[in-house]
């Protein structure tokens, strides 16, 4: 890397390596960089924070070369000044969707010829450059001409709904795609939509399907939002019925919760609005990338301890709700810098802004569907908002002009030292005052906070976040999540009680040996599901093994019965087969007559839920 005349013959101080498969290469290169003191190693991939990504644009110190280890994010979307050399591995990791199992897998594969040409073009954008390819001409000739289109790699349920909504084809499987996906992918999407009652057996949109087609989110997130909006439909009796059923069947705590007793209709509606805010926040949090930052070995222990105060024993969606609520309260109080708070807790603040933006869009859509006037966020009229937005854009241009390009500080390990003024600056921006004289981090935090106030009503969100969830609230939110995620549920293995938390296994409809993702809050021995519980999950991801992501604990029998489409039982009701899945004996009541009574209650509630959902969709 150092001695070749071809490399040293060009002026310039930057080398970029694109197409790496992971962070292992950085760990292998840093010892060499630390020993020579002539290299600084930087990473560039989507999981990094915005501040870490921006470091690739800074200058290397005199006598030091900058080496950027990048994924295929750098093929087309980024141009970095000073790059003279590109080393192309010819490999990339792509997310591929299996239509049969609904599983997403991260697969390492060869790139296409078009991608190789794009990578080559990164060298010498602002001067002469050289590209080194780590594969032979024979291997290159075997590459496909172009990267497969996204329609071949993603779930197609939303695409099918759009085709039916626009009346572009009676049978979506016969739609003339420019790059047609495999027949099995479209067939699996149609089957999934029929199971969710979004399509009729005659392939016609149901009222639920029409509502889902109008939402720019995935199928399961859309159903969660629609079910959450049922809080405004027969609020008190409907909510009480759901909770009574869950209470009488739950093996954890059999308590009757008298909800809404003594409240006026206005107060009950306010409670419903608060719960709908929680549903929207959870749905938005599950729609964006995880806010957790990959921790280093040095600060992992302290950060993990700080995170524990926000972890929920009910699962990841509730933990994300706690994180967002705490962050929005800090934004409202302005008692400390939200940027510094996120850094201490190992969180990427940009993801929390994305949750806010996604939630705001979903909230506006709900107001339009209910024909309610949308409130102006942050108060004031539209003219004052336009003036404030103009001021923000002006501040952003000034900040970009004043920032310039900084010189990187090389660390002892060959990486980059953290800038002291970035993390220790006073970024509080109290009382919404001017940010002149503050550091760059303070200005950025101030602008983001003002932009947030223009997008949403921070005070209203903070008020909703201050209300603690009762047991009844949790039971209702779990029902909404379960009904939206079903059939994405996992049954704990019988021998999990004998295993540690990292070896726990779960059975799903299409996988008999799934594990909890390492970032899951339930990856603790004391939080493992009880015998009468199961797990709902948002995504099943295959890497080194199959992982369940965004997991929530659910009561076993109520969740299966309320969300399933077919239930078979023997005469004495000592065994149930729910959508061809055998239930656990621990879930069933011992008394036969008690079982029959509860069965009748659940059947009536199941019919009421379907009726309410159809009314809401219409």
């Amino acid at each position: 890397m150092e001695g070749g005349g071809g490399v040293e013959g060009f002026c310039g101080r930057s080398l970029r390596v694109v197409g790496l498969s992971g962070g292992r290469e950085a760990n292998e290169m840093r010892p060499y960089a630390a020993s020579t003191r002539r290299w600084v190693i930087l990473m560039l991939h989507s999981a990094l924070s915005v501040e870490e990504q921006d470091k690739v644009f800074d200058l290397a110190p005199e006598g030091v070369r900058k080496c950027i280890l990048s994924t295929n994010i750098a093929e087309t979307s980024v141009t970095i000044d000073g790059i003279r050399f590109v080393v192309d591995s010819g490999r990339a990791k792509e997310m591929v969707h299996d239509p049969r199992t609904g599983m997403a897998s991260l697969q390492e594969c060869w790139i296409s010829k078009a991608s190789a040409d794009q990578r080559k073009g990164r060298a010498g954008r602002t001067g002469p450059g050289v590209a080194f390819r780590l594969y032979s001409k024979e291997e290159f000739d075997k590459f496909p001409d172009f990267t497969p289109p996204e329609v071949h790699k993603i779930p197609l349920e939303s695409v099918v709904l759009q085709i039916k909504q626009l009346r572009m084809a009676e049978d979506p499987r016969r739609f003339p795609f420019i790059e047609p996906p495999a027949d099995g992918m479209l067939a699996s999407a149609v089957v999934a939509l029929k199971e969710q009652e979004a399509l009729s057996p005659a392939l016609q949109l149901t009222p639920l399907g029409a509502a889902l087609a109008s939402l720019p989110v995935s199928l399961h997130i859309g159903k969660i939002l629609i079910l959450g909006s049922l809080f405004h439909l027969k609020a008190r009796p409907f909510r009480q019925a759901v909770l009574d059923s869950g209470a009488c069947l739950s093996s954890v705590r059999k308590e009757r919760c008298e909800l809404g007793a003594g409240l006026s209709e206005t107060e009950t509606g306010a409670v419903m609005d608060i719960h709908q805010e929680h549903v929207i926040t959870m749905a938005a949090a599950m729609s964006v990338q995880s806010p957790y930052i990959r921790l280093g070995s040095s600060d992992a222990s302290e950060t993990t301890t700080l995170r524990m105060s926000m972890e929920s024993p009910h699962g990841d969606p509730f933990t994300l709700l706690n994180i967002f609520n705490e962050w929005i309260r800090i934004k409202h109080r302005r008692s400390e810098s939200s940027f510094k708070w996120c850094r201490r807790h190992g969180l990427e603040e940009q993801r929390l802004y994305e949750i806010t933006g996604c939630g705001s869009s979903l909230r506006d859509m709900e107001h339009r569907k209910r024909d309610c006037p949308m409130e102006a966020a942050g108060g004031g009229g539209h003219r004052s908002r336009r003036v404030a937005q103009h001021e923000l854009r002006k501040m952003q241009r000034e900040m970009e002009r004043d920032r310039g390009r900084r010189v990187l500080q090389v660390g002892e390990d060959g990486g980059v030292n953290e800038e002291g003024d970035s993390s220790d600056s006073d970024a509080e921006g109290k009382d919404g005052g001017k940010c002149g004289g503050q550091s760059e981090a303070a200005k950025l935090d101030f602008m983001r906070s003002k932009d947030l106030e223009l997008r949403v009503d921070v005070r209203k969100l903070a008020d909703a976040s201050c209300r603690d969830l009762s047991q009844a609230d949790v039971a209702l939110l779990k029902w909404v999540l379960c009904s939206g995620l079903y059939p994405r549920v996992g049954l704990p293995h019988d021998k999990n009680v004998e295993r540690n938390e990292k070896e726990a296994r779960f059975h799903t409809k299409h996988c008999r040996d799934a594990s909890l993702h390492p970032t899951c809050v339930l990856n603790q021995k004391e939080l493992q599901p009880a015998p009468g519980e199961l797990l709902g999950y948002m995504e099943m991801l295959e890497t080194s093994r199959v992982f369940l992501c965004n997991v929530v604990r659910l009561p076993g029998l109520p969740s299966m019965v309320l969300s399933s489409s077919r239930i078979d039982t023997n005469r004495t009701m000592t065994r149930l087969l729910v959508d061809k899945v055998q239930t656990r004996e621990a879930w069933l009541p011992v008394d036969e007559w008690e079982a029959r009574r509860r069965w009748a209650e659940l059947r009536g509630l199941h019919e009421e839920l379907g009726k309410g959902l159809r009314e809401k969709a219409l």
Side-chain angles (χ1 to χ4, degrees), residues 548-569:
L548 304 181
C549 307
N550 270 335
V551 175
V552 58
R553 293 172 62 174
L554 301 169
L557 188 59
S559 300
M560 297 286 273
V561 172
L562 290 175
S563 305
S564 61
S565 57
R566 179 183 175 87
I567 301 175
D568 298 297
T569 179

Side-chain angles (χ1 to χ4, degrees), residues 105-206:
S105 58
L106 195 59
Q107 299 179 0
E108 185 175 340
C109 58
W110 290 106
I111 61 174
S112 65
K113 293 178 182 178
S115 294
D117 289 340
Q118 286 286 351
R119 295 181 178 190
K120 178 184 66 176
R122 297 299 96 189
R125 299 282 289 186
T126 56
V130 175
F132 299 92
R133 288 174 170 171
L134 304 183
Y135 44 88
S136 66
K137 179 68 165 58
E138 290 75 14
E139 289 174 320
F140 176 79
D141 291 337
K142 297 177 183 177
F143 289 177
D145 291 333
F146 300 100
T147 304
E150 285 298 309
V151 74
H152 291 182
K153 298 181 288 187
I154 62 173
L156 298 181
E157 286 86 353
S158 298
V159 176
V160 171
L161 288 175
Q162 290 296 318
I163 292 174
K164 295 300 298 181
Q165 185 187 41
L166 299 175
R167 300 179 181 178
M168 302 171 71
E170 283 296 319
D171 189 344
R173 293 167 291 190
R174 298 179 181 176
F175 180 76
F177 289 92
I178 297 176
E179 292 283 350
D183 293 338
M185 297 184 66
L186 283 170
S188 298
V190 169
V191 170
L193 290 171
K194 287 181 179 179
E195 290 178 349
Q196 296 293 332
E197 299 182 354
L199 285 181
S200 68
L203 298 184
Q204 298 301 314
L205 274 182
T206 64

